[in-house]
């Protein structure tokens, strides 16, 4: 730990919680968000000298980790005894949003969270999701339509 | 900001704030075991999306490379076509090369395993396959939209496949390119010579294999005057460490140096809202839907699957839709899901299993949405092991079929993994 740059440690302290929340917002509850985020930080640490934008790198690593987990869990032995995330009492909007997110595809969900939770511009979302900005616009448009329906129904 | 967006932001914020997060001390993270006990066996996986052509390209990487005794730090540069020697600042001597058989590069990697990159198809339905010892370990497919992003927008498709044997790299370069360079994280660079494929314009292809554990940092493409025509940083794309991976990424052309055929005209797509639901059904976790639509001369069909980020389908003109891989296999709710496009005279699609049983589905007419063909979609029974797949007319005549059915289905056994098979006319 002594060899780790203070800048990395500061980033870890400052961004860890938000990255876990990003992972949980973009994924199903069964995804082990903490482990994915820890793995992302380890990836970042290994790549630290050459990474220009550590936060952007982390976002991509976290989202890739969530996606990989989705693939992995169907073929690997399921992790047993995974404790569910602990929640405090959610207000009405939070409950509605949580339930509404479930109607979105993983890609739509990621686009919505990156736009409305991380407040990223469409160009940056496109870079993270590796698609064209126009595709992000379309993803968001369709996602919002589905969310409106789900929230209105709720 | 409209009221709904405000409500969404507020809800997300409250939802996130309610999550309890326990951050471990950094020391525990760094000194402790790897959070994931990564399986050591090779696995099949889907490349995490091609860069700017992601929506239109299906990339399936079937990593089947066995472990070798290659020392991790012993990186041996091994490329083919042969790597020209060159001194700093000098152009390598890459002779003009054309591959009539589509094999644009070949060589050896690891402890003598043979690899090759083969390009096939007719634009826009161009397919690039990477093979090791004859086994396909990765492939990229173009369709109308993704090809348009190459030729109209200059986003070249490149592909990395890594394993304990080393790294295979392949990519598109403009026909005016003289060579490409793959820069490694340790500062070395591998030079690759382009090879053209008859009938596939305006790009040529490069491929190379690098033995041992290496990190690719960047790729660049140059013309004969040494001007950099295209470039991409690869080390800014996180990959999963410690396991085989495949990575698709785009390399942006400098459009000042390489004129593009259509100067940025993006191929129109079909707005999803304009599509019509032609068939639907219920799976344990939700509804699946087959949709199709047309806009001007572009036709699209797609299948929505519950809980899946991957959708089957294709977009193109009448002609190109029929030249590409058009029978799709996906995995949803613990079973295979098949869908696709057939000739207009097909009424039934039949999937035969290894136990001799068959499952069939009636096709639906696509002409109502401007598609001169018929479409089908259906889930297969759980545990089904298909071995053949064909399409039949009303009198039972088999008029279309697919090859490699058993292998293709065997590759698709988890959510968010899909593949598509080309269709041949029955003889």
């Amino acid at each position: 730990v002594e060899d780790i740059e203070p800048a990395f440690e500061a980033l870890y302290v400052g961004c860890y919680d938000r990255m876990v929340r990003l992972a949980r917002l973009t994924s199903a509850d069964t995804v082990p968000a903490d482990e994915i985020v820890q793995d992302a930080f380890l990836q970042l640490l290994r790549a630290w000298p050459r990474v220009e934008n550590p936060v952007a790198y982390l976002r991509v690593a976290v989202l890739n980790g969530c996606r990989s987990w989705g693939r992995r869990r169907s073929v690997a032995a399921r992790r047993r005894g995974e404790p569910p995330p602990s929640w405090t009492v959610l207000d009405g909007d939070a409950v509605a949003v949580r339930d509404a997110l479930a109607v979105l595809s993983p890609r739509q969900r990621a686009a919505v969270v990156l736009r409305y939770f991380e407040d990223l511009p469409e160009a940056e979302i496109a870079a993270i999701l590796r698609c064209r900005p126009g595709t992000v616009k379309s993803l968001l448009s369709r996602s919002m339509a589905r969310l409106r329906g789900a929230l209105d129904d709720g | 900001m409209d009221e709904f967006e405000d409500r969404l932001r507020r809800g997300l914020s409250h939802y996130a704030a309610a999550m309890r997060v326990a951050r471990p001390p950094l020391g525990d993270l760094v000194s402790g075991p790897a959070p994931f006990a990564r399986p050591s066996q090779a696995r099949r996986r889907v490349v995490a999306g091609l860069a700017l052509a992601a929506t239109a390209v299906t990339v399936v990487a079937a990593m089947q490379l066995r472990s070798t005794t290659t020392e991790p730090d012993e990186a041996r540069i091994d490329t083919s076509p042969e790597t020209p020697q060159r001194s700093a600042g000098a152009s390598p001597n890459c002779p003009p090369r054309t591959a009539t058989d589509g094999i644009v590069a070949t060589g050896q990697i690891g402890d003598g395993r043979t690899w090759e990159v083969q390009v096939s198809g007719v634009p826009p339905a161009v397919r690039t396959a990477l093979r090791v010892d004859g086994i396909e370990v990765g492939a990229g497919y173009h369709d109308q939209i993704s090809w348009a992003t190459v030729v109209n927008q200059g986003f070249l498709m490149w592909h990395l496949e890594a394993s304990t044997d080393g790294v295979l790299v392949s990519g598109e370069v403009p026909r005016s390119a003289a060579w490409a360079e793959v820069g490694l994280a340790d500062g070395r660079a591998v030079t690759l010579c382009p090879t053209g494929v008859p009938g596939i314009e305006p790009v040529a292809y490069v491929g190379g294999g690098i033995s041992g554990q290496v990190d690719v940092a960047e790729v660049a493409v140059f013309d004969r005057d040494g001007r950099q025509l295209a470039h991409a940083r690869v080390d800014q794309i996180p990959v999963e460490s410690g396991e085989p991976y495949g990575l698709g990424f785009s390399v942006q052309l400098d459009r000042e140096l390489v004129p593009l055929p259509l100067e940025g005209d993006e191929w129109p797509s079909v707005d999803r809202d304009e599509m019509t639901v032609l068939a639907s059904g219920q799976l344990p976790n939700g509804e699946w839907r087959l949709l199709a639509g047309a806009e001007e001369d572009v036709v699209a069909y797609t299948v929505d699957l519950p809980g899946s980020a991957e959708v089957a389908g294709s977009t193109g003109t009448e002609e190109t839709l029929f030249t590409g891989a058009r029978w799709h296999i996906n995995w949803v709710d613990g079973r295979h899901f098949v869908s696709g496009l057939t000739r207009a005279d097909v009424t039934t699609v039949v999937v035969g299993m290894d136990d001799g049983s068959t499952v069939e589905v009636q096709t639906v007419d696509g002409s109502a949405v401007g598609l001169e063909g018929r479409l089908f979609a259906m889930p297969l029974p759980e545990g089904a092991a298909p071995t053949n797949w064909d399409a039949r007319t009303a009198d039972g005549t088999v008029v279309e079929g697919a090859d490699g059915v058993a292998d293709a289905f065997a590759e698709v056994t988890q959510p968010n993994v899909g593949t598509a098979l080309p269709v041949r006319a029955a003889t």
Side-chain angles (χ1 to χ4, degrees):
Chain A
V1 180
E2 298 79 51
D3 296 334
I4 294 176
E5 285 186 25
F8 182 87
E9 192 163 1
L11 183 77
Y12 179 74
V13 172
C15 285
Y16 183 92
D17 292 14
R18 188 162 187 91
M19 288 299 150
V20 171
R21 292 186 167 109
L22 173 66
R24 286 186 184 162
L25 286 173
T26 54
S27 312
D29 286 350
T30 51
V31 166
D34 297 84
E35 296 187 8
I36 286 168
V37 171
Q38 290 164 27
D39 199 45
F41 272 100
L42 285 176
Q43 285 183 53
L44 175 62
L45 184 60
R46 285 190 286 268
W48 183 253
R50 57 184 167 80
V51 171
E52 293 168 355
N53 186 337
V55 176
Y57 186 101
L58 275 175
R59 281 197 197 100
V60 176
V62 167
L63 293 178
N64 280 349
C66 294
R67 201 161 48 220
S68 297
W69 175 257
R71 292 197 300 269
R72 182 179 294 125
R73 65 178 170 168
S74 68
V75 289
R78 280 178 183 270
R79 302 172 70 88
R80 303 292 180 190
E82 194 74 42
S86 302
W87 312 106
T88 54
V89 176
L90 299 178
D91 69 10
D93 273 345
V95 170
V97 166
R98 181 195 64 188
D99 294 345
L101 285 176
V103 307
L104 301 180
S105 72
R107 197 168 169 79
Q108 289 173 332
R109 188 165 168 156
V112 166
V113 171
L114 291 170
R115 180 74 188 91
Y116 295 104
F117 177 67
E118 289 284 291
D119 278 327
L120 298 183
E122 287 171 357
E124 204 166 331
I125 298 170
I128 291 173
L129 299 182
R130 300 194 197 135
C131 61
R132 290 171 292 177
T135 303
V136 172
K137 194 182 286 293
S138 164
L139 264 177
L140 285 171
S141 169
R142 290 200 298 270
S143 304
M144 294 299 272
R146 295 184 78 172
L147 283 174
R148 276 179 206 275
L151 286 172
D152 289 346
D153 289 346
Chain B
M1 187 194 312
D2 72 18
E3 191 178 328
F4 181 76
E5 289 185 357
D6 187 39
R7 182 183 173 198
L8 181 58
R9 281 181 205 277
R10 197 171 56 245
L12 282 169
S13 176
H14 288 173
Y15 180 31
M19 297 171 181
R20 290 184 187 143
V21 180
R23 186 182 68 248
L26 182 56
D28 291 357
L29 177 63
V30 174
S31 62
F36 279 135
R38 295 189 182 284
S40 58
Q41 74 275 23
R43 70 166 63 123
R44 302 166 191 278
R45 52 165 298 190
V46 169
V47 173
L50 272 179
L52 292 148
T55 55
V57 179
T58 305
V59 180
V60 177
M63 297 304 302
Q64 296 177 311
L65 307 188
R66 294 183 299 273
S67 296
T68 72
T69 56
T70 305
E71 291 297 321
D73 295 324
E74 185 185 310
R76 185 175 76 243
I77 293 183
D78 167 26
T79 64
S80 181
E82 66 270 18
T83 299
Q85 298 297 313
R86 73 186 184 94
S87 54
S91 298
N93 180 26
C94 283
R97 190 190 301 266
T98 300
T100 53
D101 59 359
I103 297 177
V104 296
T106 184
Q108 291 195 326
I109 194 168
D111 57 353
R113 311 184 72 193
T114 302
W115 62 266
E116 67 179 21
V117 178
Q118 185 169 30
V119 178
S120 58
V122 177
V126 176
R127 185 176 195 275
T128 304
L130 282 75
R131 298 190 193 93
V132 174
D133 287 347
I135 298 171
E136 192 166 295
V137 297
Y141 309 83
H142 275 303
D143 69 5
Q144 194 94 8
I145 289 180
S146 73
W147 187 250
T149 66
V150 174
V151 300
N152 300 345
Q153 299 181 314
F155 290 114
L156 304 165
M157 183 174 91
W158 281 58
H159 205 148
L160 286 178
E161 293 294 337
S163 76
T164 49
D165 281 326
V167 174
L168 297 180
V169 57
S170 70
E172 297 162 343
V173 300
R175 278 291 175 103
S176 58
W179 83 94
E181 275 187 9
V182 178
L184 307 182
D186 62 11
R188 292 179 300 161
V190 177
T191 303
L192 305 176
C193 289
T195 299
V197 179
I200 300 181
E201 294 280 359
V203 298
Y205 293 84
V206 294
I210 307 161
S211 294
Q213 187 171 333
V214 293
D215 290 322
V216 175
E218 60 186 329
V219 300
V221 181
F222 300 90
D223 68 8
R224 61 186 70 257
D225 297 324
R227 296 183 302 176
Q228 184 172 287
L229 303 180
H231 177 258
R233 291 283 299 273
V234 183
D235 57 358
Q236 298 300 313
I237 305 172
V239 296
E240 295 167 55
S241 54
E243 65 174 84
Y245 68 86
L247 176 68
F249 60 99
S250 66
V251 179
Q252 171 71 75
L253 268 182
D254 183 338
R255 295 175 57 179
E256 296 287 315
L257 299 177
V258 185
L260 296 167
L262 297 179
E263 288 299 329
D265 287 341
E266 192 171 330
W267 199 275
S269 58
V270 178
D271 190 330
R272 196 178 176 82
D273 294 338
E274 301 300 318
M275 289 188 175
T276 303
V277 177
L278 297 181
S280 63
Q282 200 66 32
L283 285 162
N285 285 327
E287 183 187 43
W288 64 264
R289 299 191 311 161
L290 168 65
L291 304 98
E295 204 165 290
E296 298 179 359
D297 57 347
V298 177
V299 186
Y301 65 91
T302 185
V303 177
D304 278 348
L305 298 172
S308 175
E310 297 293 315
V311 294
S314 189
T315 303
T317 62
E318 292 283 351
E319 184 183 355
T320 61
L321 280 184
F322 279 94
T323 58
R326 55 183 159 96
W327 286 5
H328 309 270
I329 307 168
N330 289 79
W331 181 264
V332 60
D333 278 353
R335 71 199 73 206
H336 288 109
F337 192 99
V338 297
S339 59
L341 173 67
T342 71
R343 287 173 19 171
D345 57 348
V346 168
T347 58
T348 310
V349 172
V350 178
V351 181
M353 310 301 170
D354 63 352
D355 62 0
S357 64
T358 59
V359 178
E360 60 183 61
V361 62
Q362 301 298 307
T363 58
V364 293
D365 185 13
S367 62
V369 293
L371 181 56
E372 292 306 317
R374 295 179 73 84
L375 294 153
F376 67 93
M378 69 168 166
L380 298 184
E382 280 185 274
T387 54
N388 52 49
W389 193 357
D390 61 51
R392 305 175 186 187
T393 57
D395 64 3
T397 305
V398 174
V399 292
E400 293 187 314
D403 297 320
V405 172
D407 288 344
F409 276 91
E411 282 184 7
V412 180
T413 55
Q414 52 182 302
N416 298 331
V417 171
T419 192
L421 289 175
V423 179
R424 57 168 169 72
T427 52

